[in-house]
């Protein structure tokens, strides 16, 4: 036990020091010759009666030796017996008198001379005082502060001033009670993490055939979806220690501290393997280094921390059973180096929950509160599209507080309604809640995309359609799964891609007779493709094979500043017209497709509105126009 030993040595040193000081004070006090305090007048009396042998003058005091028998004996003092034992003589002859400041300088000397007293000046000795106030007390204060800092910073007296110590919290097996049963509504993420748990539990099983265990698992998802919760649940399920630290805690004012913390964290974790290191809010350290070079030396600290993290991740070997988990809600800003194989090579998406997920989360959190009989959590789930787990937990809690304030015995539906309003008001734009009308439009729009994608020959298959608001711009989303990676595309493939993009808008036209602003991103992308077809790919008969470029000087490349157009005004107009013609032609085609399938579109949109997310078999059936009403949940 090294730390305890050093601690003991330090303690003994301090003890010896204090003891020596006390002893020397005691000695000087006890063995000082006994002396009497005389008033000035008495001293002068004695002087004038020639009873003084010699004196020493200091600025404030006269100390001296009287002739034997001249002084009255002082009351017996503490050192008496000791002095007797040491054989010092008992006769008290030493005295001191306080001088009257500033008046007796001349006369005193003259009088001493007259009475032939041996006298000398003496500089006042303040050795002990100097020692005490100049050294002992300041030193004691400094040592005190030092010890305090050591305790604060390092968690123990041995870790003196080590700012590099990691501030992570360690949770032991016993403290971690979170399990997968505390997480609901994110079943896909859970399924992937169950595998990680198995890695931690039986590493041998996976290494048997020479496989290498994953090192890093990155949880990606919007705030409040339960990433932190999931990480703890993995540790709880695997029954291993859990080291957790937030990314922002690595980054300090001082360059190098963050790197030292990373080193320390990994060192400690290796001793405890198998275990989980969890770095929350990874983007605080993992921001792309490329973007951070705006100032010279501007982000040195973060960069060093990141480099250290990369080095540590490379340096340790996952067969020991240390798995690094991290969470972020901004994967796009992370440095590419972090996502390389051998680092955070597994990414688990933790998405906002769908209707069923929300109901499950509400149910989970409602276990702790007393519900009135009329409460239907399914209805509450239906009212809260776009809410993350944390928002839902918040709603249950708010409702319980509201009911308690009204002195109710159970939480009623009305409390939940009020809680939703409150939470929505608090969330503002952060998490959109769509009105019924908007949800209707979005459902038709997204089904429009999906239906066109399944109807044209060259589009990637649709695997998921959702109207759960995500991200900044998208109110809904149609996910197409590319069947193969594309490097070359034919003209008909580009045509079909535009068709799918226009599908959303055309669906709105057909169903509502008017269009919303929701399609502007689709139109932007469709126009972009059409423009490229005309200007770069030579796919327009009218403009032929020429590539119409813009000449961007090299130093402006990528700066967003456009260069000079290399074609005439007429050509520009022709390009615009041609782009419009392509879009119009495809628009008509899409309109034709969706008009014949309008009934399917409407039924599928209704189904999508009901379930919020359609995928797999249910999506296939909805798109095929098979009645899905019997396939209720
Ligand atoms: P994140 O780390 O993704 O921002 P947290 O894990 O910190 O979100 O979630 C905050 C809280 O919200 C959790 O402690 C939990 O009470 C609740 N919560 C979030 N997601 C879920 C979920 N999927 N299931 C149950 N509770 C959840
Ligand atoms: Mg978190
Ligand atoms: Zn769209």
């Amino acid at each position: 036990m090294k730390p305890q030993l050093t601690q003991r040595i330090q303690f003994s040193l301090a003890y010896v020091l204090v003891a020596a000081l006390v002893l020397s004070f005691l000695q000087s006090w006890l063995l000082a010759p006994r002396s009497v305090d005389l008033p000035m007048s008495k001293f002068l009396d004695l002087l004038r009666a020639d009873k003084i042998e010699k004196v020493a003058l200091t600025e404030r005091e006269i100390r001296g030796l009287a002739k034997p028998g001249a002084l009255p004996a002082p009351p017996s003092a503490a050192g008496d017996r000791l002095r007797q034992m040491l054989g010092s003589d008992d006769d008290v002859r030493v005295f001191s008198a306080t001088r009257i400041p500033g008046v007796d300088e001349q006369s005193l000397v003259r009088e001493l001379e007259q009475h032939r007293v041996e006298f000398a000046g003496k500089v006042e000795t303040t050795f002990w005082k100097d020692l005490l106030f100049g050294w002992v007390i300041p030193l004691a204060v400094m040592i005190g502060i030092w010890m305090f800092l050591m305790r604060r910073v390092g968690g123990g007296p041995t870790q003196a001033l080590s700012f590099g110590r990691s501030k992570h919290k360690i949770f032991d097996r016993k403290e971690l009670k979170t399990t997968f049963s505390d997480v609901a509504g994110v079943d896909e993420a859970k399924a992937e993490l169950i595998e990680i748990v198995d890695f931690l539990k039986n590493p041998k099983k996976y290494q048997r055939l020479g496989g290498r265990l994953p090192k890093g698992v990155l949880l990606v998802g919007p705030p409040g979806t339960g990433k932190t919760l999931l990480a703890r649940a993995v540790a709880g399920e695997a029954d291993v220690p859990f080291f957790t630290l937030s990314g922002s805690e690595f980054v300090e004012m001082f360059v190098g501290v963050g790197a030292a913390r990373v080193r320390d964290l990994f060192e400690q974790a290796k001793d405890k393997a198998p275990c989980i290191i969890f770095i929350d809010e990874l983007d605080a350290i993992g921001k792309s280094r490329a973007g951070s070079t705006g100032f010279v030396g501007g982000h040195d600290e973060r960069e060093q921390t990141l480099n250290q993290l990369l080095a540590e991740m490379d340096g340790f070997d996952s067969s020991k059973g240390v798995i690094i988990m991290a969470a972020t809600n901004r994967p796009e800003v992370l440095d590419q180096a972090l996502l390389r194989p051998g680092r955070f090579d597994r990414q688990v998406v933790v998405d906002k929950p769908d209707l069923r997920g929300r109901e499950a989360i509400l149910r989970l959190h409602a276990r702790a509160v007393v519900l009135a009989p009329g409460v239907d959590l399914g209805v509450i789930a239906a009212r809260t599209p776009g809410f993350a787990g944390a928002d839902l937990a918040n709603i249950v809690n708010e409702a319980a507080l509201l009911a308690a304030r009204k002195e109710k015995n159970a939480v009623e539906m009305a409390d939940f309604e009020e809680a939703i309003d409150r939470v929505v008001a608090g969330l503002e734009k952060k998490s959109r809640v769509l009105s019924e009308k908007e949800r209707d439009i979005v459902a038709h729009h997204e089904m429009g995309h999906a239906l066109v994608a399944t109807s044209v020959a060259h589009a990637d298959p649709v695997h998921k359609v959702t109207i759960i608001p995500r991200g900044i711009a998208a109110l809904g989303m149609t996910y197409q799964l590319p069947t193969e990676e594309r490097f070359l595309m034919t003209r008909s493939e580009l045509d079909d891609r535009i068709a799918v993009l226009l599908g959303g808008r055309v669906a709105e036209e057909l169903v509502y007779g008017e269009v919303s602003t929701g399609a502007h991103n689709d139109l932007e992308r469709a126009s972009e493709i059409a423009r490229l077809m005309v200007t770069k790919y030579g796919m327009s008969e009218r403009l032929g094979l020429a590539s119409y470029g813009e000449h961007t000087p090299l130093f402006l490349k990528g700066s967003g500043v456009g260069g000079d157009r290399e074609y005439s005004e007429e050509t520009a107009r022709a390009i615009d017209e041609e782009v419009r013609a392509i879009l119009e032609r495809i628009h008509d085609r899409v309109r034709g497709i969706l008009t014949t399938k309008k009934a399917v579109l409407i039924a599928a949109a209704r189904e999508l509105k009901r379930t919020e997310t359609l995928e797999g078999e249910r999506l296939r059936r909805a798109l095929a126009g098979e009645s899905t009403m019997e396939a209720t949940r």
Side-chain angles (χ1 to χ4, degrees), residues 203-217:
K204 293 261 153 39
K205 172 172 143 197
Y206 291 92
Q207 291 164 331
R208 198 169 52 91
L209 301 177
R212 200 167 41 78
L213 297 185
K215 271 187 192 172
V217 180

Side-chain angles (χ1 to χ4, degrees), residues 227-228 280-281:
K227 299 181 294 295
T228 309
D280 213 348
E281 324 286 347

Side-chain angles (χ1 to χ4, degrees), residues 185-410:
V186 283
D187 297 334
E188 286 164 47
K190 241 200 243 180
E192 290 192 55
L193 290 174
I194 284 173
E195 201 189 359
I196 303 294
V197 171
D198 210 32
F199 282 147
L200 284 164
K201 275 187 166 164
N202 329 299
K204 293 261 153 39
K205 172 172 143 197
Y206 291 92
Q207 291 164 331
R208 198 169 52 91
L209 301 177
R212 200 167 41 78
L213 297 185
K215 271 187 192 172
V217 180
L218 183 62
L219 300 171
V220 179
T225 45
K227 299 181 294 295
T228 309
L229 191 67
L230 273 168
R232 290 165 136 268
V234 169
E237 289 281 338
D239 199 19
V240 297
F242 183 66
F243 291 77
T244 174
L245 185 62
S246 177
S248 55
E249 288 172 290
F250 278 122
V251 183
E252 290 278 331
M253 243 171 6
F254 306 109
V255 173
V257 172
R261 288 217 171 114
V262 173
R263 210 175 305 127
D264 184 58
L265 176 63
F266 276 81
E267 210 130 278
Q268 295 195 35
K270 275 179 221 163
D271 290 343
K272 292 233 173 175
C275 67
I276 290 178
I277 298 178
F278 178 56
I279 304 173
D280 213 348
E281 324 286 347
L282 180 67
D283 39 279
I285 34 172
K287 276 211 195 89
S288 165
R289 285 168 291 187
S292 68
T293 45
F295 301 96
V296 177
H299 297 283
D300 262 0
E301 164 62 0
R302 211 185 53 215
E303 204 162 303
Q304 282 197 17
T305 309
L306 176 57
N307 287 338
Q308 185 67 37
L309 178 65
L310 295 175
E312 292 287 349
M313 287 192 78
D314 287 343
F316 88 91
D317 142 32
S318 54
S319 62
K320 301 265 156 54
V322 181
I323 286 192
I324 304 164
M325 295 184 75
T328 182
N329 43 34
R330 300 157 68 202
E332 69 284 352
V333 304
L334 289 186
D335 199 290
Q336 279 308 307
L338 273 172
L339 306 178
R340 229 193 47 192
R343 287 164 184 165
F344 290 105
D345 38 12
R346 286 197 180 216
Q347 296 191 24
V348 175
V349 176
V350 189
D351 244 335
K352 285 193 180 167
D354 60 5
L355 182 68
R356 280 185 218 203
R358 290 199 302 274
E359 191 177 337
I361 294 171
L362 285 168
R363 202 165 298 287
L364 191 76
H365 287 279
R367 280 188 314 204
V369 305
V370 184
L371 293 183
V375 172
D376 183 351
L377 294 176
V379 172
I380 298 161
R383 280 211 45 196
T384 49
F387 277 42
D391 305 328
L392 296 169
N394 195 8
I395 283 176
V396 174
N397 190 50
E398 275 296 316
L401 293 179
L402 283 169
R405 184 179 314 151
K406 294 179 194 145
E407 320 255 329
K408 294 183 186 171
N409 290 327

Side-chain angles (χ1 to χ4, degrees), residues 445-446 449 476 478 500-501 503-505 508 518-522:
H445 178 106
E446 296 303 330
H449 286 306
T478 301
V500 173
L501 285 169
R505 181 193 166 96
E508 290 182 43
H520 84 111
N521 186 34
D522 298 335

